[in-house]
């Protein structure tokens, strides 16, 4: 038995050594302030423990050095209900992110500040998320499917210095007013947090409250240099809800807790996931039908594709996908597609002819 334990220990040490060697090569192409040398966890340390980097820098700057990629589409966006779509290039994306960085800083956000985002799947949500990454401000992100009590819970736990929201969204069932939910949640949570409001043409708020800031009123220095924060390996990139289910004699007990996504392990992991699992590369593309307010959405609709230099799709009204969505995929010649199983069933099992209309290399 002791001999077996020694063999297992030796094999484990050998596997960790091989794993560390593999990861050293896999992360060479990423941009580092300090490239990690402590790769695997040892003595309760974390993955990539001594590495420092910046997620948003890796999503933008390396691709801007490639003249063929700088003016290529980074993100396609659409609201199928409003019949509006388009795209932003990597260079345009950088300018928009810089604008939002300036706005967040003028609202008091700095490195380590926590930001709560309550927005639909829009480009302004993308700009805000990436701007938080530039500053090194961890964010917590929810969307309209989350009710007042859940927003209030996030405000209590995250205790943000700023809430970023929008006046509304337009989906198949009409206009949903986001700001009103935030106002109700602030009362429930007994918070008077500043709120940055991005007005939308579908329905604007004519009179904001005393502690609100209209994004359009913020003056931005267009010539300001975009300064990326160097963050440690375990610096939180974002907070997310995790449901833990415990079984007991009394039945199932549900506990929803906030977890953090540490920057450097997530940067390395999601970069490899897109490269190795889906084979994305600079100039390729992917359509992932997932909300940005989910780990899947953030990983496979935003951070992962941008890290790969691949264009991606941000669809505001995801559940209106059938038919018009297929036309959108074909319009922009998107070749790789990921979907939730329930959305796949709704879209294709009920509309058998639609899948045949897609010219895809990969459907997952």
């Amino acid at each position: 038995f002791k001999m077996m334990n020694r063999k297992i220990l030796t094999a484990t040490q050998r596997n960790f050594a091989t794993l560390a060697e593999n990861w050293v090569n896999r992360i060479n192409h990423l941009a580092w302030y300090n490239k990690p040398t402590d790769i695997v966890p040892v003595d309760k340390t974390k993955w990539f423990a001594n590495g420092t980097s910046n997620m948003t820098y890796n999503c933008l700057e390396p691709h801007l050095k490639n003249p063929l990629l700088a003016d290529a589409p980074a993100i396609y966006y659409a609201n199928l209900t409003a019949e509006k779509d388009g795209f932003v290039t990597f260079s345009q994306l950088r300018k928009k992110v810089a604008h939002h960085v300036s706005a967040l800083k003028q609202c008091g956000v700095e490195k380590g500040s926590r930001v709560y985002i309550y927005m639909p799947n829009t480009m302004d949500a993308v700009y805000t998320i990436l701007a938080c990454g530039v500053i090194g401000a961890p964010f917590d992100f929810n969307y309209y499917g989350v009710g007042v009590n859940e927003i209030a819970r996030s405000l209590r736990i995250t205790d943000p210095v700023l809430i970023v929201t929008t006046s509304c969204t337009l989906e198949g069932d009409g206009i949903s007013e986001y700001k009103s939910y935030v106002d109700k949640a602030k009362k429930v949570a007994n918070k008077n947090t500043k709120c940055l409001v991005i007005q939308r043409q579908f329905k604007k708020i004519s009179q904001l409250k005393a502690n609100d800031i209209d994004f359009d009123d913020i003056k931005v220095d267009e010539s300001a240099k975009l300064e990326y924060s160097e963050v440690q390996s375990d610096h939180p990139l974002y907070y997310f809800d995790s449901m833990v289910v415990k079984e007991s004699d009394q039945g199932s007990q549900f506990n929803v807790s906030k977890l953090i996504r540490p920057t450097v392990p997530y940067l390395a992991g999601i970069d490899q996931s897109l490269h190795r699992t889906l084979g994305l590369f600079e100039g390729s593309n992917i359509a992932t039908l997932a909300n940005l307010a989910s780990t899947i959405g953030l990983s496979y609709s935003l951070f992962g594709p941008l890290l790969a230099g691949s264009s991606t799709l941000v669809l505001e009204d995801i559940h209106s996908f059938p038919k018009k969505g297929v036309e959108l995929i074909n319009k922009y010649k998107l070749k790789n597609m990921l979907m939730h199983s329930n959305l796949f069933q709704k879209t294709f099992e009920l509309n058998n002819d639609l899948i045949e209309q897609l010219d895809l290399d990969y459907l997952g």
Side-chain angles (χ1 to χ4, degrees), residues 4 7 48 62 90 94 172-173 205 239 284 286 291 314 327:
M4 182 64 71
K7 287 182 177 180
F48 310 100
F90 278 97
R94 188 187 190 278
D173 56 355
I205 301 171
Y239 296 85
S284 60
I286 186 170
N291 199 293
V314 170
E327 294 171 3

Side-chain angles (χ1 to χ4, degrees), residues 60-74 88-94:
L60 296 179
E61 299 299 335
H63 314 312
L64 295 172
K65 297 174 184 177
N66 182 342
L68 296 177
L69 207 57
D71 294 322
V88 295
T89 65
F90 278 97
S91 57
Q92 290 170 336
L93 181 58
R94 188 187 190 278

Side-chain angles (χ1 to χ4, degrees), residues 70 94 113 157 188 197 201 224 243 255 334 360:
R94 188 187 190 278
S113 298
I157 296 173
V188 172
V197 182
Q201 71 274 24
M243 180 176 288
N255 178 32
L334 303 179
L360 295 174

Side-chain angles (χ1 to χ4, degrees), residues 15 26 29 40 59 71 96 137 209 236 257 283 295 299 303 360:
N15 287 339
R26 290 179 191 176
H29 65 285
V40 297
C59 287
D71 294 322
K96 289 289 189 178
K209 297 183 182 299
S257 59
T295 294
S299 299
F303 290 125
L360 295 174

Side-chain angles (χ1 to χ4, degrees), residues 126-189:
V126 170
Y127 304 145
T128 304
I129 289 167
L130 294 176
C132 285
V134 170
I135 299 170
F139 65 88
D140 187 358
F141 188 11
N142 286 135
Y143 69 109
Y144 192 70
V146 172
V148 170
N149 289 332
E150 286 75 18
I151 299 171
R153 173 180 162 273
S154 289
L155 294 180
R156 289 193 196 99
I157 296 173
T158 309
D159 194 22
V161 301
L162 181 71
I163 299 169
V164 183
T165 190
T166 185
S167 56
C168 68
T169 186
L170 176 64
E171 298 196 0
D173 56 355
I175 292 176
S176 301
E177 298 181 28
Y178 269 56
K179 179 61 166 52
S180 62
Y181 272 67
V182 170
D183 290 339
K184 292 173 184 175
K186 285 170 67 175
K187 288 184 179 178
V188 172

Side-chain angles (χ1 to χ4, degrees), residues 7-28:
K7 287 182 177 180
I8 291 173
L9 181 61
T10 302
T12 300
Q13 290 171 334
R14 186 163 57 247
N15 287 339
F16 267 139
T18 304
L19 184 62
E21 290 172 5
N22 288 340
W23 272 109
V24 166
N25 295 324
R26 290 179 191 176
I27 62 177
N28 275 335

